[in-house]
Amino acid sequence: MAPPAGTVPIPGEFLRHHDRLLRPELEAWAEDLCRELEELKPASASTPGRLDAVSACMNKASFVIAATGDMAQAMRLCEFQLAWVAHRARDCSDAGILGHAVQPWINIGRLHALCGDIDRALAHFRLAECLSRRRTAVLGPCRIAAESWPAVTGAGPDLPGVLWNVYALESIKAYLTPPRCAELPAVISSLRRAVPERWHGFITEGEILGLLQQGKARQALARAGRADPSSAYDESAFRLHEVTGLILSQERTAAFDRALAAVAFLTNVEPRRPKDAPTLLRQLRRLGVLMEHLEQPRYALAACLRGLDICAVHDDQPLRFAFLTTALRLAPAHPSAGAWEREHRRLTDHCWYADVRRRSPRRALPRAPFRALGAAVEAAATAGGGA
């Protein structure tokens, strides 16, 4: 029996397509990053390709450590990365290298937000204002002088779009938390004035999410109906939000009709690129939740099975765990239930992701790969005076 219509969970994350990392097994990922950092020799990196590769490794390293739930250590790795960037910029006498400080600075803001320090987090998401107004930006030990922005954007032509998207997306995510949700309408209004129109897609979705969280289902439906999606995944995201609004409005027949259209797309589309998979998996997960609330277990199971098929190629352990949990609940007599149960038990016992560990017994697991990864980033940052 599905829960009452009004209790449908409101999504706490964006469903539109944007760059997200897949989340494979953390221990293996940590070991791979250690090897890559050793081979790249970060202390002497100076060419654009090497600098990009080292930055990518360090960004992923802080993500891996944060995913285990160790926010303090993840913060330290971001700070080590900023020290490395500052050192390389001084050593190479190239202000363009300072663009590599942007991602760890943003990641620190995300970590503050995850720890509940919203006001401190927001300062890390406003670099777009410094760029557009040609103001000096201080990112820990890295200082992007007002006159250095052309060099920074010349080295990274995609950077302006990244900064505007971060300004909109991360600011809204910070205000979607329950203590600050009442402030979101004013934030949305301010962002619409500040952010160039071409990057308004996340502002629109954030407005819809805020309306849903405040129980304003009819307004959310109207806003989703006026949305201008830029891709099939964006279209799917807005339609899933419409289904949520229709369920909240107790228009279950209309909600089911709209959800069926999402089933037709999401259970048949193939991720053409690995970076499409995280978006598709999250939308399938949301579709399954909505179908359960519409008392349609077969369609909910279909979404879960499609999610498991995709995870077999583009693995995301926390989502695979969620799909397995739902599949076992919905179809305990399924021919694959035995295999699902074994995999679910393996993840329960050995998965290091914090959002999976919270649902499982806290058995002691070896932390060696994560200690080694932290040491590798610290060594890379401090070699040659980086910290």
Side-chain angles (χ1 to χ4, degrees), residues 19-213:
D19 285 344
R20 300 178 177 97
L21 291 173
L22 284 166
R23 297 171 292 177
E25 181 181 319
L26 281 176
E27 300 98 312
W29 198 359
E31 290 166 358
D32 288 345
L33 289 171
C34 282
R35 283 194 294 272
E36 289 180 49
L37 280 170
E38 183 178 357
E39 292 168 2
L40 286 167
K41 300 185 176 10
S44 59
S46 58
T47 63
R50 286 266 301 284
L51 290 164
D52 288 346
V54 174
S55 286
C57 280
M58 290 186 175
N59 288 331
K60 291 172 184 175
S62 62
F63 179 92
V64 165
I65 300 302
T68 70
D70 191 345
M71 301 302 177
Q73 176 65 353
M75 191 87 69
R76 279 176 55 81
L77 295 194
C78 292
E79 290 165 353
F80 280 127
Q81 186 177 356
L82 288 170
W84 169 77
V85 174
H87 175 62
R88 298 313 304 145
R90 288 193 303 269
D91 197 51
C92 300
S93 300
D94 183 359
I97 291 174
L98 292 169
H100 291 279
V102 167
Q103 195 61 58
W105 183 253
I106 292 168
N107 288 342
I108 289 173
R110 288 168 173 158
L111 290 167
H112 284 314
L114 287 170
C115 293
D117 195 343
I118 303 304
D119 292 325
R120 196 172 180 186
L122 291 170
H124 290 256
F125 306 145
R126 292 173 175 152
L127 292 175
E129 291 182 333
C130 294
L131 170 62
S132 66
R133 298 173 185 174
R134 287 295 189 268
R135 292 198 315 230
T136 296
V138 178
L139 289 65
C142 299
R143 183 178 183 273
I144 303 178
E147 64 273 15
S148 297
W149 278 112
V152 172
T153 56
D158 294 334
L159 188 60
V162 170
L163 294 185
W164 284 118
N165 276 330
V166 164
Y167 184 28
L169 180 66
E170 300 297 340
S171 297
I172 293 170
K173 283 167 64 176
Y175 280 99
L176 278 171
T177 54
R180 307 297 291 267
C181 196
E183 301 171 59
L184 190 56
V187 172
I188 294 288
S189 179
S190 174
L191 287 171
R192 285 199 181 280
R193 293 191 300 271
V195 176
E197 189 172 354
R198 62 184 294 194
W199 291 295
H200 277 202
F202 292 116
I203 300 175
T204 298
E205 187 176 13
E207 182 180 3
I208 294 165
L209 290 170
L211 290 168
L212 289 172
Q213 286 203 358

